[in-house]
Amino acid sequence: MAIYCDQTGYLPQDRKRAVMTAGENYKVMRMKDGGEEQVMAGTARDAGTDAASGDHVYEVDFSKIHEAGLYYIENEKGERSHCFRIGKDVYKELQRDLQKALYFQRCGCALEEQYAGPYTHPCCHMGDAVLWNDRSVVKEVRGGWHDAGDYGRYISPAAVAVGHLLYAFQLFPESFQESLNIPESGSGIPDLLSECRYELEWMLKMQDEEGGAYHKLTSERHADFIMPEEDKAQFYLFPVSSMATADYAASMALASRVYRTYDGAFADRLLEAAEAAYEWLEKHPEYVGFHNPESCNTGEYDDVCDRDERLWAATEMLLTTGEQKYQEQVSKLLQEDLSRTDFGWTDVSGFAALGILTDAAGTASPDSVGELRKTVLAEADRLVRVAEQSGYGVAMEPEDYIWGSNMVVLNRGMLLILAAMTAKKDEEAGSPDQAGCEKRSLIYEQTALAQLHYLLGMNAVDYSYVTGYGEHAYRHPHNRPTECDGIEEPMPGWVSGGPFKTPCDEVGRERIREGTPPMKCYVDHAACYSLNEITIYWNSPAVFLTAYFNREL
Ligand code: G3I
Ligand code: 9MR
Ligand code: ZN
């Protein structure tokens, strides 16, 4: 295959690009009434060598095709791209399945056929948990979503996933009207909020008497490849960390704001939990880290710095309560050297920018707004430059292909959306339009969209990194139920972790030769947990991006 494109498709009015690695002349073909017709032909632009893949690439720009339909691209050697659609609704089902995937992670309940189709299983992980440091303490902490391909449940990843999802809902509510066919469907509350509530109810149980959040709830060792209901290992509550507690305070405060309109009593419970967690943070201004005990091999999610988590917590508390003491904290933390543009589990500082810059009530001080605005736009400009340098239009440099690189891609897409929204406000406020220049907001938006195209097949390995989406979607996620359920097709709508320049699972290390360019360090193999696992917080930013592009449907 020498022609790469978004295998799901393109929106009619947006930029449309494909990449060829051989043959410079191309034609764009449209399938019609059982036949096909040529709708465009040309010579691709020689874009030179792409650093992250090592490929010599030629860019096909077919933006001027707007008509809805099914297409493919063919080069002069007769090689063809996968088929793709052009249409207003190309990401609609995708967004639904990305969300529905979370339902399949529900723990502590049965997945019934009515909702789960073939992917049913009985109740799992029903036993009480024991405190790791004091085995005499036993707690009921059922519920929540399995984090990933393992059965652990961890607070920081949970908070980050809920953060992406609730912001997506808050900013683009019109994209969340569809039913997800979950047990709560039809309740009058948008299904995304019901799904997130499943996680939040579990999170509410994960707080100790002093307000601290337990870092994680897992068994001592990862389970074998067995179905969740077969995993009878003892689960433990691991010690409180400042990172988890700050993420906890932040996500609970945000949730309290979002659920207020639907359920005041629930919003109160969330705010109470957020306040208690915040008090814990005030009592523990120092960094309280977490490290796996020697015998434990489940996810560690260790972070060397909790300042960004504290910034996120102070921000959400400010936006939810409007209290001055939180503004003081935000201002103080903004003087520290933090990125302010990241949305991953190690660095959540971008949530502060997202919250403050999109806050219609104007709660934060003009200074904080100004500071964040500047950083966000500067980072967006940098990402646009990086994406322009990339033959595949992706805002990633070779060193960015770390474990879960698809999360980096999607988080950058989120930042670009935030920048687009911020720039659009300026443009609407009447800053002079430079004639002949493309608006900044549009450039950011189109670059964000290119990140989605990369995920869906516009990349050097020709994979769509979402199960069930595209003619060549990956099929073997590292996910215990998928490996064990005997069903041929994986559940649709799961984002893979993606290429990792230094794979650290056995099969990945074996299969990927030394010197392989970072974008090509990928294998679609179920054993490759460092390349091909799924997680709740790799799907959630994809929900954010698709919801943005689906908002006018
Ligand atoms: O932050 C540094 C960055 O500064 C540096 O440039 C880069 C170079 O490799 O590394 C970055 O750190 C990486 C870190 O993730 C943050 O992204 C580490 O190398 C990398 O090993 C680490 O990987 C994490 C992995 O667990 C191992 O701890 C993944 O992000 C994380 O998603 C993954 O999480 C697992 C859970 O433990 C268990 N559940 C499944 C889940 C998904 O695989
Ligand atoms: O399946 C586990 C996956 O969810 C984690 O991301 C990964 C790192 O914590 O560990 C995987 O479990 C492996 C374990 O660490 C080592 N033995 C093999 C396990 C399954 O491949
Ligand atoms: Zn479970």
Side-chain angles (χ1 to χ4, degrees):
M1 178 61 66
I3 308 177
Y4 309 112
C5 63
D6 183 327
Q7 298 167 28
T8 295
Y10 298 82
L11 297 167
Q13 302 309 324
D14 289 280
R15 195 189 282 165
K16 300 173 198 69
R17 287 176 180 168
V19 157
M20 308 203 298
T21 50
E24 292 178 54
N25 295 317
Y26 68 87
K27 50 190 185 177
V28 181
M29 304 296 293
R30 178 172 186 215
M31 328 257 224
K32 209 175 177 184
D33 310 326
E36 50 187 44
E37 58 171 355
Q38 180 178 318
V39 289
M40 191 181 156
T43 304
R45 183 179 73 87
D46 184 343
T49 301
D50 169 65
S53 64
D55 290 343
H56 193 121
V57 294
Y58 301 86
E59 181 193 277
V60 177
D61 191 321
F62 55 105
S63 303
K64 65 178 187 197
I65 301 178
H66 300 294
E67 208 178 329
L70 195 58
Y71 296 81
Y72 67 89
I73 297 169
E74 190 174 318
N75 67 11
E76 66 204 47
K77 298 176 161 181
E79 294 170 319
R80 288 179 174 197
S81 71
H82 297 295
C83 285
F84 57 85
R85 274 207 311 130
I86 292 180
K88 269 173 69 165
D89 60 349
V90 285
Y91 304 130
K92 192 174 166 185
E93 269 182 45
L94 170 63
Q95 188 201 327
R96 197 200 54 213
D97 282 344
L98 287 166
Q99 294 174 73
K100 179 67 185 263
L102 299 167
Y103 164 77
F104 291 111
Q105 297 300 94
R106 286 192 190 192
C107 183
C109 68
L111 301 190
E112 285 160 24
E113 195 182 346
Q114 187 183 353
Y115 312 110
Y119 306 106
T120 54
H121 68 71
C123 295
C124 58
H125 303 113
M126 300 301 281
D128 290 344
V130 168
L131 271 199
W132 180 264
N133 283 344
D134 179 356
R135 306 289 163 103
S136 67
V137 182
V138 172
K139 275 188 76 155
E140 187 276 301
V141 276
R142 272 194 293 279
W145 298 320
H146 300 141
D147 178 52
D150 64 329
Y151 296 135
R153 279 155 287 149
Y154 310 78
I155 284 299
S156 290
V160 166
V162 163
H164 295 144
L165 296 167
L166 293 185
Y167 269 112
F169 176 80
Q170 202 181 33
L171 295 170
F172 326 122
E174 59 277 36
S175 299
F176 292 93
Q177 320 238 323
E178 286 267 314
S179 167
L180 298 178
N181 183 29
I182 56 176
E184 300 79 6
S185 294
S187 64
I189 292 173
D191 280 357
L192 178 81
L193 293 190
S194 301
E195 195 51 61
C196 286
R197 183 163 179 167
Y198 196 83
E199 183 76 339
L200 289 162
E201 291 281 6
W202 164 72
M203 289 174 80
L204 283 166
K205 302 177 185 176
M206 286 291 286
Q207 193 167 31
D208 76 2
E209 310 71 54
E210 281 152 35
Y214 298 109
H215 193 78
K216 64 172 178 178
L217 168 64
T218 73
S219 42
E220 185 168 0
R221 314 283 304 168
H222 279 304
D224 291 338
F225 272 72
I226 50 178
M227 286 300 279
E229 70 276 13
E230 289 161 11
D231 179 15
K232 303 291 184 201
Q234 177 63 53
F235 270 54
Y236 296 95
L237 283 160
F238 287 84
V240 167
S241 68
S242 54
M243 171 209 194
T245 304
D247 283 331
Y248 186 93
S251 52
M252 290 289 161
L254 163 64
S256 165
R257 244 174 23 255
V258 175
Y259 286 85
R260 177 71 57 198
T261 336
Y262 301 93
D263 185 340
F266 183 51
D268 288 342
R269 282 170 64 209
L270 293 164
L271 186 56
E272 230 171 85
E275 277 169 340
Y278 202 88
E279 276 163 33
W280 185 97
L281 293 170
E282 289 175 326
K283 271 196 222 130
H284 299 268
E286 78 289 6
Y287 163 81
V288 181
F290 173 79
H291 281 294
N292 264 349
E294 187 94 277
S295 60
C296 173
N297 79 342
T298 57
E300 194 163 42
Y301 291 111
D302 60 324
D303 191 357
V304 290
C305 165
D306 68 6
R307 308 305 287 171
D308 50 301
E309 284 83 13
R310 287 176 189 264
L311 171 64
W312 185 24
T315 300
E316 298 298 354
M317 292 303 286
L318 168 66
L319 297 177
T320 303
T321 67
E323 280 174 38
Q324 191 53 30
K325 75 164 186 180
Y326 300 117
Q327 174 64 63
E328 279 156 25
Q329 270 311 306
V330 168
S331 301
K332 224 159 133 192
L333 286 159
L334 282 180
Q335 279 165 23
E336 294 183 17
D337 184 22
L338 300 173
S339 97
R340 309 160 178 189
T341 53
D342 283 329
F343 301 98
W345 66 265
T346 36
D347 186 339
V348 294
S349 58
F351 282 106
L354 184 58
I356 288 178
L357 293 177
T358 60
D359 172 38
T363 316
S365 76
D367 279 359
S368 299
V369 174
E371 269 291 307
L372 290 166
R373 191 181 164 281
K374 209 171 59 196
T375 329
V376 163
L377 295 177
E379 174 64 359
D381 287 337
R382 185 186 78 85
L383 294 178
V384 168
R385 284 194 302 274
V386 173
E388 275 168 359
Q389 286 295 310
S390 155
Y392 290 88
V394 67
M396 295 280 280
E397 295 183 283
E399 61 273 20
D400 296 329
Y401 291 83
I402 59 176
W403 187 326
S405 64
N406 281 338
M407 177 188 78
V408 183
V409 172
L410 293 167
N411 286 171
R412 291 181 174 179
M414 287 181 62
L415 191 273
L416 286 157
I417 295 297
L418 173 59
M421 293 171 72
T422 307
K424 205 172 269 174
K425 261 193 239 158
D426 294 352
E427 286 156 8
E428 281 163 6
S431 59
D433 207 4
Q434 297 146 310
C437 282
E438 215 181 330
K439 285 199 173 113
R440 256 175 124 187
S441 61
L442 263 180
I443 297 172
Y444 297 148
E445 186 181 278
Q446 294 301 311
T447 310
L449 186 51
Q451 309 317 299
L452 206 52
H453 292 326
Y454 166 88
L455 186 81
L456 295 168
M458 173 81 159
N459 57 57
V461 289
D462 189 40
Y463 272 110
S464 162
Y465 290 119
V466 183
T467 48
Y469 283 82
E471 285 188 344
H472 191 230
Y474 85 105
R475 293 170 51 89
H476 306 288
H478 180 87
N479 185 25
R480 283 172 172 70
T482 300
E483 274 304 281
C484 306
D485 62 12
I487 303 168
E488 177 97 1
E489 285 301 311
M491 291 164 234
W494 273 116
V495 173
S496 161
F500 176 22
K501 61 186 188 312
T502 51
C504 51
D505 56 79
E506 218 171 295
V507 176
R509 276 208 309 260
E510 237 169 64
R511 301 269 179 108
I512 291 173
R513 267 180 296 118
E514 182 114 5
T516 302
M519 202 195 286
K520 294 184 173 168
C521 291
Y522 173 73
V523 190
D524 180 19
H525 193 295
C528 294
Y529 56 81
S530 71
L531 303 172
N532 214 28
E533 192 162 354
I534 53 131
T535 73
I536 54 173
Y537 55 95
W538 296 338
N539 261 48
S540 52
V543 170
F544 186 99
L545 277 185
T546 48
Y548 178 83
F549 290 104
N550 283 337
R551 71 203 185 291
E552 270 145 38
L553 282 182

